[in-house]
Every structure is written in structure tokens, then in C-alpha cells.
Amino acid sequence: MRDINSKVLSVINRGENATLIFVPNAGRNWVMSRLDFGEPGKYKVIRIEKERLISEDSVDFYRLMAEELGIVGAGDDLGSIFNKIEAEIKRLLSGGIQIIIILVDFESLHYPLSVWNNMVYLWRKNKVLIHYIFGVNRDIFDGESLTKLGKVAELVGQNKIYYPLYSKEESNGVIADFVRRYGYKIKKEKGEAIWKITGGHPYLIKVFLRGLSLKSCWEVKKVFNDILESVGGKDKRLMGLLAAGGKVEDKYFSDFVRQNGLVKKGKLFLRMFEEYIKNKKLIDKMRLEFDEKRGEIVAGGVVVSDIFSLNEYQLLRGFLESRGRVISREEVARVLWGKRADVKYSDWAIDKMVGSLRKKMAEESIGNRIQTVRGRGYRLIN
């Protein structure tokens, strides 16, 4: 199972926490169920996964923790259950036993912030002997997502371990394993062809071995949709540009996309995925508009105002409201400085601001661009 086990053990031996980061539908549950921590008497493993939770009520979360700790008759009172959990963890720690809490599908556990803050409270009881292993299959490391996690964000971001799509050699091993486990019939020499067709995605490999058409199978479309939904808005826009034939350097993508092998050397991991994105018409959704009712800049109905600084926002709003009309440098000055435009007017400052906005739009893969109209000013075009 690659070297994922040794990486996790290395983190635990340092007295730290880890987040295992997967591509959607790429075997997260299978991998995390096979983590081996060695000596049974040295560790107590608490495994939390969504399918074992009845509801999103905090009581159910704590009740499952209590069950994993072997607490009988935990009851229904939230405070009472948590006290019993705390007492049992304290007892185990006093015996030198390390606690490993595995949250298999962490991004899908939608519990109140108090639950995660309590997890941090337990960790602070003994940071050396209590460890959290988070499993995620979407990018949760942008600023907004981490903020929503409250205090537990400190633990989530401590060590990131990526589980990328399989290489050609690894895919051959996966194929052999599937053939052995499920009795699929496949010629050994077809391994490389299967890797090219599936991009090293284990679920797609399995679909292919089942004899299903990747182009028409609904399961494949679901995999592609889940991958697209697992990334942030900027990555979606960049993927849209690649699918449309544009050029984007790998460095502009998030770590989630690059480290998991979804993009490599300026290409998406699979031609079929590229076609799927092209049909989604993401490029169209990147066109900017100004929503007068909300006072926001939007792309495909999504508010993107926060991407821009105040001056960039004001200038871009002016361009959007002009609806393709050429804006003179004097108008740009009025947009930026209002009634003080005559006093603050500066060709250098205008050039710098227009340049800054152009750079930001390029970085964010915005489908519009600012055109210089010689001797007249600027115009926003698609």
C-alpha cells in the first residue's frame, strides 16, 4: 500500500497529526481501513466514518466515540457522554497508551464547531500521545474552508500526506489485485493501455475491467463530477482553460490538484475528463458581470468580488458597467479617485492599476481581458 503507512507512523512517532488527501472515489476508505499501527497494546484506535453515524446530531458523534472506546451504556446526554469519553482517554493515557482518532471522511462530517473544538480540547490534554488522522477527498485548505473548522484547523494543517493517482507501474499492481480478487479476465500486456485509458484512477480501472464503456457509463460521469466539485473556483477556471485549449502552467494550480496528479505538465490527467469539462462550458461561466442588486462582481452566478482589492474592484466595476465601451484615462481616474480625480490624476498610477488588474485577471483565469485602445483608453472584452 505504497508507503502511506510509514508516512503516517512517522507523523505519529513525532507526536503530531496528519491529513490524508485523496482524489474522489480513489480508494480512501480502503486505504484508511488498512492503516497498521503495529503493536496492538501500544495504541487505541478510534475510527469515525460517516456511514456509521445515524445523524448530524453531536450526540451521535460522541456516542460512536464512546462505542469505539468500549464504553457501555453511554446514555443520551451530550455532557455526560463527553465526560465519560474524557475519563476513559485519561485512563488509557495514564497507562502509556497512545490514542489515534481516525476521521475517515472528515470533509463530510457536518457537525457544530463545538464538536471540533472539543476534539482540540482532548488533544491538548496530551499532544504527544493523542493523534488525529483526517481523511479528505476535496480541497479544504483554502482560507475560507479552514476558518470554518475553528480550532481544529491547527491539527488539520499540521501534516499533509497526498495519495495521488497511480503511476503506470502502480496501475499494473492494481490491475493484478483486481484480477485476483474479482476474477476479471485481462491480458498482462494490456496494462499500459488500461493506465492510459483510465489515468491511473483505481475506480476507473475497475469500471474498465468490468467491461463497461467509459464513455457512456454513468459511474464515470459521477467520478468526473466529484473530481470537479472537489476543487476550488480558481482550479475549476484553470481546468476550463486547459480543456478549451489554453495554456496554464502547473504552478498556478492548488497543491490538491498538482500533488494528486490531476494536472501534469500543463495537461489534465485524462483526455476523457478534459472532454467532460469542455462540455460543462466552464469558460462561459468565467465571464464577469456586475450584479447591480447585490453590488457584486459575479462569474457564472458565483460572487467573485473578494478576489479583487478595493481599487481593482472599483476599476473592474467601471469596465463592466461600460458594457464594452471604451473608457478614457480621465474616466478611469474618476472611477478610482472620484471628486479628487483632478488632484490625484497620475498616468503612472493609472498604468500601475490597470496592470495590476490585468495580472489578477490572468492569475484567476478570468475569461475577460482589458484591451488598450491607442489614443483613446481601455475596453473590457471577452
Side-chain angles (χ1 to χ4, degrees):
M1 192 174 66
R2 287 178 164 173
D3 58 348
I4 196 84
N5 212 84
S6 61
K7 287 181 179 179
V8 171
L9 278 173
S10 176
V11 167
I12 288 173
N13 290 335
R14 294 200 303 268
E16 296 176 357
N17 310 281
T19 297
L20 275 56
I21 306 162
F22 298 81
V23 174
N25 306 295
R28 170 178 59 179
N29 287 36
W30 184 84
V31 170
M32 295 191 74
S33 69
R34 284 160 177 75
L35 291 175
D36 182 8
F37 302 102
E39 308 164 49
K42 186 177 179 181
Y43 302 103
K44 176 61 181 177
V45 178
I46 300 170
R47 184 180 171 87
I48 306 292
E49 51 190 323
K50 190 175 182 179
E51 66 180 24
R52 295 178 63 195
L53 291 159
I54 300 170
S55 71
E56 294 183 351
D57 190 314
S58 303
V59 172
D60 285 327
F61 182 91
Y62 291 130
R63 193 182 284 127
L64 180 55
M65 275 196 74
E67 181 184 322
E68 287 285 291
L69 283 165
I71 299 171
V72 180
D76 296 315
D77 180 71
L78 191 150
S80 176
I81 298 173
F82 186 77
N83 288 339
K84 290 175 182 177
I85 290 171
E86 186 178 1
E88 178 60 15
I89 287 177
K90 184 178 180 181
R91 185 188 70 79
L92 291 168
L93 292 174
S94 66
I97 295 176
Q98 297 193 48
I99 310 293
I100 300 175
I101 303 172
I102 302 176
L103 296 143
V104 178
D105 29 27
F106 177 64
E107 84 289 339
S108 298
L109 302 179
H110 304 299
Y111 288 95
L113 207 55
S114 58
V115 169
W116 307 130
N117 288 343
N118 279 337
M119 294 300 99
V120 177
Y121 167 79
L122 291 174
W123 172 67
R124 287 175 177 165
K125 290 285 183 180
N126 193 317
K127 296 182 181 180
V128 176
L129 297 182
I130 296 178
H131 319 279
Y132 286 92
I133 308 297
F134 304 92
V136 300
N137 66 2
R138 64 182 302 115
D139 190 356
I140 65 168
F141 296 102
D142 61 88
E144 184 179 352
S145 296
L146 284 178
T147 300
K148 291 178 181 178
L149 295 177
K151 297 176 182 177
V152 82
E154 177 186 354
L155 283 61
V156 171
Q158 202 166 43
N159 291 280
K160 301 173 188 176
I161 301 174
Y162 290 90
Y163 198 85
L165 298 174
Y166 291 118
S167 66
K168 181 168 61 178
E169 293 72 22
E170 289 172 327
S171 292
N172 287 331
V174 171
I175 292 166
D177 182 56
F178 283 158
V179 168
R180 183 175 63 254
R181 286 160 60 191
Y182 304 110
Y184 297 130
K185 304 296 182 182
I186 192 76
K187 292 182 180 179
K188 187 177 181 181
E189 60 270 19
K190 285 196 172 182
E192 183 172 349
I194 294 174
W195 173 70
K196 288 181 178 178
I197 292 169
T198 62
H201 192 295
Y203 193 88
L204 297 184
I205 292 174
K206 192 173 181 180
V207 169
F208 181 87
L209 293 176
R210 283 161 55 199
L212 301 176
S213 169
L214 294 186
K215 287 187 176 180
S216 58
C217 179
W218 68 268
E219 293 172 75
V220 174
K221 292 178 181 176
K222 183 182 184 305
V223 169
F224 289 164
N225 183 71
D226 288 347
I227 291 174
L228 194 56
E229 292 305 311
S230 72
V231 303
K234 180 179 178 180
D235 284 329
K236 280 192 180 78
R237 295 192 291 273
L238 293 174
M239 286 180 173
L241 278 179
L242 287 182
K247 294 183 179 180
V248 182
E249 293 181 53
D250 292 2
K251 66 182 181 180
Y252 290 113
F253 286 92
S254 68
D255 286 344
F256 180 88
V257 171
R258 287 186 294 103
Q259 298 284 357
N260 277 327
L262 292 172
V263 168
K264 196 171 290 184
K265 296 181 180 179
K267 293 184 179 180
L268 295 168
F269 82 100
L270 193 60
R271 181 65 181 271
M272 209 178 304
F273 180 56
E274 182 180 297
E275 290 296 322
Y276 176 83
I277 290 179
K278 192 180 295 184
N279 291 333
K280 284 281 188 181
K281 297 181 179 177
L282 293 180
I283 289 293
D284 291 342
K285 294 178 183 178
M286 283 188 273
R287 307 297 185 204
L288 295 177
E289 297 175 338
F290 181 70
D291 187 326
E292 294 182 5
K293 289 183 179 179
R294 291 187 285 178
E296 300 281 9
I297 295 170
V298 298
V302 178
V303 174
V304 295
S305 301
D306 58 344
I307 291 175
F308 305 99
S309 69
L310 178 58
N311 282 339
E312 290 169 348
Y313 165 84
Q314 289 173 331
L315 182 53
L316 185 52
R317 174 178 174 174
F319 278 124
L320 291 169
E321 289 180 326
S322 74
R323 302 181 185 279
R325 180 177 60 82
V326 175
I327 297 181
S328 67
R329 296 175 70 84
E330 288 73 20
E331 287 179 276
V332 170
R334 285 196 292 274
V335 167
L336 292 174
W337 300 302
K339 294 178 180 179
R340 301 190 65 199
D342 291 339
V343 178
K344 300 197 69 172
Y345 186 94
S346 161
D347 285 328
W348 175 84
I350 290 173
D351 290 339
K352 185 177 180 182
M353 182 50 60
V354 171
S356 172
L357 181 55
R358 277 176 169 155
K359 183 180 178 182
K360 179 66 67 66
M361 291 169 70
E363 288 175 348
E364 298 296 335
S365 307
I366 300 301
N368 310 73
R369 66 184 181 88
I370 300 170
Q371 178 188 49
T372 299
V373 181
R374 190 181 297 274
R376 295 176 60 197
Y378 307 95
R379 175 169 52 201
L380 189 69
I381 62 173
N382 290 332

